[in-house]
Amino acid sequence: MCTALPTVGFIGLGIMGLPMAKHLCDAGYPVTVFNRSAERMEAAKAFGANTAASPRELAERVDVLITMLTDPAAIGAVMEGPSGAFAHPKKGLVWIQMSTIDIQSTQTFAHEAEEHGMTFVDCPVTGSKKQVEAAELILLAGAEPDPLDYVRPILSRLGKTIIHAGAVGSGTALKLCMNLLVGQMTSALAESVVLAESTGINPALIFQAVRSSPALNCGYFQIKEKPLLSKNFEPAFSLDNLAKDVGFMVHEANSRGLSLPVTEALQSLLQKSRAQGLGSQDVSVMYRALAPVKILS
């Protein structure tokens, strides 16, 4: 007996959300989307998605709701109020929250979801533009086993690995730990390139040496080679978004009586980069806040 696929609603069609919605359409899921930018909605219609006039309308029509937005304020804006998804959700709706936010906000949204008859799955992702387009994300889930099992077929269309970190909030905690590594790896590469240029050697030699090192060679360094050598910082993961996440990391650590001194130094570098107007560019653009004027010129 053939069982119909659940209907899926997707809110947030940015660098990550649009290809994720496309993967689900391509897999045969009935997908309805909402986005503040009409242009992105038209792009989704082109690959077969339906559109909703508001988050409320979307939540009334679907079995599973996915949000992929910038921060807690953006999530609140689409979930709350008379036109928000909380206003009148379909009975039994499961909400998969995939944005990278802080643990407290995740737990607050989970509580609000329960109050409105929804089941909440905390599931941010690791990966950026290349990985999302190839459906090779790593999904970091915080949920009870039953709802996670229900949405697992959907999640499997978006990534190659699903890691069940524990209860709600655990997925978000793991994502912050992962992005801590991303931030520090990026700053290490940027500092290494600046040091190479200041000493008069070709920074391409860094990447040649890294590729030859079993200990240091990794996919992330390869991904950031082109932007750092070409100085083309088209965003795969924006510096603004990393700065937001680093703020969450420092807050979570401080609230537990911990200090993350290297991450705090990274936070200062990101603030300097944003003050120079670099926030919308790729995270590797922090190079420009490090490089002496004589190198930049």
Side-chain angles (χ1 to χ4, degrees), residues 58-110:
L58 184 147
E60 290 173 340
R61 291 161 50 180
V62 300
D63 301 309
V64 176
L65 168 65
I66 298 174
T67 50
M68 177 57 88
L69 297 158
T70 305
D71 55 27
I75 298 167
V78 301
M79 298 303 296
E80 298 163 357
S83 63
F86 282 149
H88 195 259
K90 185 176 180 179
K91 185 177 180 180
L93 179 66
V94 177
W95 174 18
I96 310 174
Q97 204 307 100
M98 306 190 84
S99 319
T100 302
I101 57 175
D102 59 294
I103 298 170
Q104 182 177 351
S105 294
T106 295
Q107 293 171 337
T108 297
F109 286 130

Side-chain angles (χ1 to χ4, degrees), residues 140-262:
L140 312 174
E144 295 301 317
D146 287 349
L148 180 58
D149 287 344
Y150 174 68
V151 300
R152 192 178 291 273
I154 294 172
L155 298 177
S156 68
R157 296 292 182 172
L158 304 177
K160 61 181 182 179
T161 303
I162 301 168
I163 298 175
H164 188 189
V168 167
S170 300
T172 292
L174 181 54
K175 177 58 189 293
L176 294 180
C177 293
M178 296 299 294
N179 273 14
L180 185 152
L181 294 175
V182 168
Q184 294 189 14
M185 290 168 73
T186 308
S187 64
L189 276 180
E191 288 187 354
S192 183
V193 168
V194 168
L195 181 61
E197 290 172 339
S198 69
T199 60
I201 66 168
N202 186 343
L205 296 173
I206 296 168
F207 296 95
Q208 181 181 339
V210 163
R211 282 192 295 273
S212 301
S213 168
L216 292 177
N217 191 26
C218 73
Y220 187 74
F221 287 170
Q222 294 169 18
I223 289 168
K224 295 307 175 188
E225 177 177 1
K226 183 176 180 180
L228 281 166
L229 295 183
S230 68
K231 308 302 187 282
N232 179 358
F233 300 107
E234 180 182 353
F237 175 39
S238 76
L239 188 139
D240 275 341
N241 278 332
L242 178 60
K244 172 205 64 168
D245 296 348
V246 167
F248 292 149
M249 296 167 203
V250 172
H251 171 76
E252 297 293 350
N254 291 346
S255 69
R256 291 162 174 77
L258 302 175
S259 174
L260 302 175
V262 179

